[in-house]
Amino acid sequence: MTAARRLSRFELQIMQALWAGGPLSIREIQQCFPPDDRPAYTTIQTMVYRLEAKGAVERVKKISNAHIFAPLITRESALRRLVEEFLGLFGGRAQPLMAHLIETGKLSLDDIQEAEKTLRRLSKKKENS
Amino acid sequence: MTAARRLSRFELQIMQALWAGGPLSIREIQQCFPPDDRPAYTTIQTMVYRLEAKGAVERVKKISNAHIFAPLITRESALRRLVEEFLGLFGGRAQPLMAHLIETGKLSLDDIQEAEKTLRRLSKKKENS
DNA sequence: GCCAGTCTCCTAATATTGTAGTAGAGACTA
DNA sequence: TAGTCTCTACTACAATATTAGGAGACTGGC
């Protein structure tokens, strides 16, 4: 079960850093935050420890006296969880979300076409099963 | 500025009721929750008051001795805010989100095709401007 | 071996969110 | 108009999230 518990916004930001940058030390995670709004070292630390308690990250090694943390849950599973929740707030329907993504230019035509292809493939597979 | 502050999950659920059902009283909002997990009247009340303090709802009239509340921010602007935040956590890219929606069957082929049409129309408009 | 710097571990204040009780005002009904 | 019911306004408290300080261990250079 990769599920893990619900992660807070801030916790997700830290996971984000780990997903993007591979195993990192506390200091390195801190450096992922913009200089003008960077939490204190110990703030990050507390979060990472909490993530560790939740089973979302683990210590993989020690460089000098610094622990190096790596994500234990995948970006995908976190995304799944989030989307679930997110859609729940909007009646479970994804369509308005899509519409919004398009209107704000977050989705390109290529993205959509790619999606369509995937979808066709999936539905065909279902037919055959 | 329709922006308003960030809304919590529960606050959004209340907004959801208001967006869906038009101006409502506290009691009516409460009734929007499933009977088997319905917060106390005063719990809803507190939330609505907080939403009022945040400028997300306002009192539009009084029926008998009950206040009627209406949303001050649109569903769209709240959605925009949420999506922004949401995507921020995933590097601002919408594609992985799409992929997920498809895999979990949240998006139908119709949805996609509709989206594609919209997108084509939009991009054409842009060309001409 | 000592010093400066960095890191860990523990602790804790503060803010935000979720939850709800109570007192009393106002409204409806017999 | 007395009784009952509903709603408001205020208050309280627990849980969670955010933020960070301080003491002391460890490391690397001199």
Side-chain angles (χ1 to χ4, degrees):
Chain A
M1 255 258 291
T2 321
R5 261 172 291 173
R6 192 180 128 55
L7 302 180
S8 72
R9 167 184 328 285
F10 191 14
E11 286 171 339
L12 276 169
Q13 275 189 273
I14 286 173
M15 291 309 290
Q16 179 62 31
L18 287 173
W19 285 322
L24 296 174
S25 66
I26 304 279
R27 181 67 65 191
E28 286 167 318
I29 294 173
Q30 190 199 16
Q31 245 111 53
C32 292
F33 286 81
D36 51 309
D37 184 31
R38 184 172 290 167
Y41 179 89
T42 46
T43 301
I44 304 287
Q45 194 189 32
T46 302
M47 284 299 157
V48 173
Y49 284 179
R50 210 180 268 176
L51 284 168
E52 191 183 19
K54 286 186 181 179
V57 306
E58 66 177 343
R59 300 169 191 222
V60 286
K61 59 179 170 176
K62 202 166 174 179
I63 292 181
S64 174
N65 66 342
H67 291 296
I68 305 299
F69 295 85
L72 258 181
I73 62 177
T74 64
R75 194 178 199 142
E76 285 64 41
S77 76
L79 178 57
R80 189 171 331 124
R81 207 177 187 56
L82 237 69
V83 169
E84 229 50 74
E85 202 176 288
F86 187 92
L87 289 183
L89 292 173
F90 286 85
R93 303 201 330 108
Q95 206 279 320
L97 173 56
M98 278 280 292
H100 172 76
L101 290 174
I102 290 171
E103 275 161 32
T104 53
K106 293 286 196 308
L107 280 176
S108 71
L109 193 51
D110 282 349
D111 288 335
I112 299 281
Q113 284 172 339
E114 189 60 40
E116 189 175 335
K117 233 187 298 177
T118 309
L119 195 53
R120 282 189 196 284
R121 184 160 39 74
L122 281 179
S123 65
K124 194 167 293 175
K125 201 187 290 173
K126 201 182 288 173
E127 265 171 38
N128 296 346
S129 69
Chain B
M1 249 255 295
T2 319
R5 260 174 290 170
R6 196 182 121 51
L7 302 181
S8 73
R9 168 192 320 288
F10 191 13
E11 286 172 337
L12 275 169
Q13 276 188 272
I14 286 172
M15 291 308 290
Q16 180 64 30
L18 288 173
W19 285 321
L24 296 174
S25 66
I26 305 281
R27 181 67 65 187
E28 288 168 316
I29 294 172
Q30 191 199 15
Q31 246 111 52
C32 293
F33 286 81
D36 52 307
D37 185 31
R38 183 173 289 166
Y41 180 90
T42 46
T43 302
I44 305 286
Q45 192 189 31
T46 303
M47 283 300 159
V48 173
Y49 286 178
R50 275 183 203 166
L51 284 168
E52 191 183 19
K54 287 185 182 181
V57 306
E58 66 178 341
R59 301 169 192 222
V60 286
K61 59 180 170 177
K62 201 168 175 179
I63 291 182
S64 173
N65 67 342
H67 292 296
I68 305 298
F69 295 84
L72 258 181
I73 61 178
T74 64
R75 192 179 200 141
E76 285 64 42
S77 77
L79 180 57
R80 189 173 330 126
R81 208 178 187 56
L82 236 69
V83 170
E84 225 54 72
E85 203 175 287
F86 187 92
L87 290 183
L89 292 174
F90 288 84
R93 301 201 329 110
Q95 207 279 319
L97 172 55
M98 279 280 293
H100 172 77
L101 290 174
I102 290 171
E103 276 162 32
T104 53
K106 293 285 194 312
L107 280 177
S108 71
L109 191 51
D110 282 349
D111 287 336
I112 299 281
Q113 284 172 337
E114 189 60 40
E116 189 174 335
K117 234 188 298 177
T118 309
L119 196 51
R120 282 190 196 284
R121 186 159 38 74
L122 281 179
S123 67
K124 194 167 291 175
K125 202 188 290 175
K126 202 182 286 173
E127 264 173 37
N128 296 345
S129 67

